[in-house]
């Protein structure tokens, strides 16, 4: 925990959910959005809501496309500075997931002014500013409201060459799937909220959620990378399904190959599982086939909501070593091949 913590303030006690676990469940969201795309779309809009991609992309000219995204949530940790860092890292990730370079951010701030000291709110904002500085972008403005629960996040704008945009719809049958970060953030956060996470577990949680997905902009330069997304609130299975549906393919995941954060397996077996994990599973279980050997705990790991999770890459088999080397060079030592894409539509099969 950072030395900027406020020991008498437990930010998570103000919120009914934390991090990307706050997302509306996939099935409910699909129902809300099912009739929302009736407006004529301009030809310059390269990416909209049609495949549930990570960000919108608008072509400015033959050399530049604008990436626009936003993300915000309630506290996942009690330390205000760390909360700000996590929220900012998570928001910026969607630009990297499109293969772009972030250029500017706007802050979204909702705080219970009558309950949180102004010093605490200031530390949340400084945490976000520190990550934006690491990404090389300014926070150029924003909006604030007095709200019941603490909310913080960013609008992030980025740029990418129109030919380098990496959509979630570009996967091809036979592609290998590579995950950039280990999973288990939701489980660690659940244990933290119940006082069961030790200092080493907290350090792993913060390290994972504040690591910027900078490899995304470099992956956009590789011809063998066909599709890119990041794994967040719907869990690995949910975002894998989005990739499969967008490409009209199926995916095969190997449970034993998926990297896990330290302590996650043990904590999950002890019951530290978020409510969002169950809501996620209920939202997409009909499109997932689990091998008989997959346990209930493993299923929970697959649907565990990831706040500021890793990039998920679909690439030609010949590009696997190049992609893994790029990840490792950028400090993502846990990056691993976790499965492959196959013909057939809109399903994920999980084998042991």
């Amino acid at each position: 925990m950072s030395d900027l913590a406020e020991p008498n303030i437990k930010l998570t006690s103000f919120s009914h959910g934390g991090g990307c676990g706050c997302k509306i469940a996939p099935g409910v969201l699909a129902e809300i959005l099912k009739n929302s795309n009736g407006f004529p779309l301009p030809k310059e809009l390269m990416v909209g809501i049609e495949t549930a991609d990570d960000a919108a992309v608008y072509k400015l000219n033959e050399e530049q496309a604008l990436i626009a995204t936003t993300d915000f949530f309630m506290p996942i940790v009690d330390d205000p500075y760390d909360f700000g860092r996590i929220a900012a890292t998570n928001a910026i990730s969607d630009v990297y997931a499109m293969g772009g370079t972030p250029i500017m951010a706007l802050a979204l701030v909702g705080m219970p002014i009558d309950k949180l000291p102004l010093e605490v709110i200031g530390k949340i904002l400084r945490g976000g500013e520190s990550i934006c500085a690491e990404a090389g972008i300014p926070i150029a403005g924003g909006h604030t409201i007095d709200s019941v629960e603490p909310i913080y996040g960013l609008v992030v704008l980025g740029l990418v060459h129109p030919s380098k945009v990496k959509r979630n719809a570009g996967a091809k049958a036979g592609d290998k799937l590579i995950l950039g970060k280990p999973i288990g953030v939701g489980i660690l956060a659940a244990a933290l909220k119940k006082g069961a996470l030790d200092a080493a577990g907290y350090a792993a949680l913060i390290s994972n959620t504040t690591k910027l997905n900078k490899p995304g902009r470099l992956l956009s330069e590789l011809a063998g990378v066909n599709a890119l997304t990041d794994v967040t609130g719907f869990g690995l299975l949910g975002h894998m399904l989005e990739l499969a549906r967008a490409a009209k393919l199926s995916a095969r995941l190997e449970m034993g190959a998926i990297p896990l954060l330290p302590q996650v397996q043990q904590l999950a077996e002890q019951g530290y599982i978020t409510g969002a994990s169950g809501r996620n599973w209920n939202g997409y279980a009909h499109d997932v086939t689990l091998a008989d050997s997959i346990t209930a705990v493993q299923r929970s790991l697959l649907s565990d909501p990831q706040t500021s999770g890793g990039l998920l890459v679909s690439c030609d088999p010949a590009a696997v070593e190049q992609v893994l080397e790029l990840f490792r060079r950028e400090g993502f030592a846990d990056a691993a091949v976790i499965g492959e894409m196959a013909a057939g539509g809109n399903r994920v099969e999980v084998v042991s």
Side-chain angles (χ1 to χ4, degrees), residues 54-55 67-74 83-96 102-111 124-143 151-158 212 308:
D54 298 292
I67 302 171
T69 185
T70 186
D71 219 316
F72 54 89
F73 46 62
M74 283 86 81
F83 169 44
R85 293 169 67 211
I86 294 167
T89 307
N90 180 73
I92 296 169
S93 180
D94 285 337
V95 171
Y96 294 132
I103 58 171
M104 182 176 70
L106 306 174
L108 300 173
V109 184
M111 295 290 157
I124 294 171
L125 302 189
R126 287 198 292 276
E129 289 166 358
S130 73
I131 291 297
C132 287
E134 186 179 335
I137 62 173
I139 296 181
H143 186 63
I151 298 169
Y152 178 68
L154 300 175
V155 174
V156 188
L157 302 179
L212 287 164
S308 190

Side-chain angles (χ1 to χ4, degrees), residues 279-294:
R279 292 192 297 273
N280 281 343
W281 174 250
N282 291 336
Y284 47 63
H286 55 285
D287 288 330
V288 179
T289 302
L290 299 178
D292 292 340
S293 57
I294 300 298

Side-chain angles (χ1 to χ4, degrees), residues 319-340:
V320 166
E321 288 307 316
Q322 193 176 9
V323 171
L324 288 174
E325 172 56 29
L326 190 157
F327 270 121
R328 290 165 186 156
R329 189 171 67 245
E330 293 294 308
F332 290 74
D334 293 305
V337 178
I338 63 168
E340 62 187 2

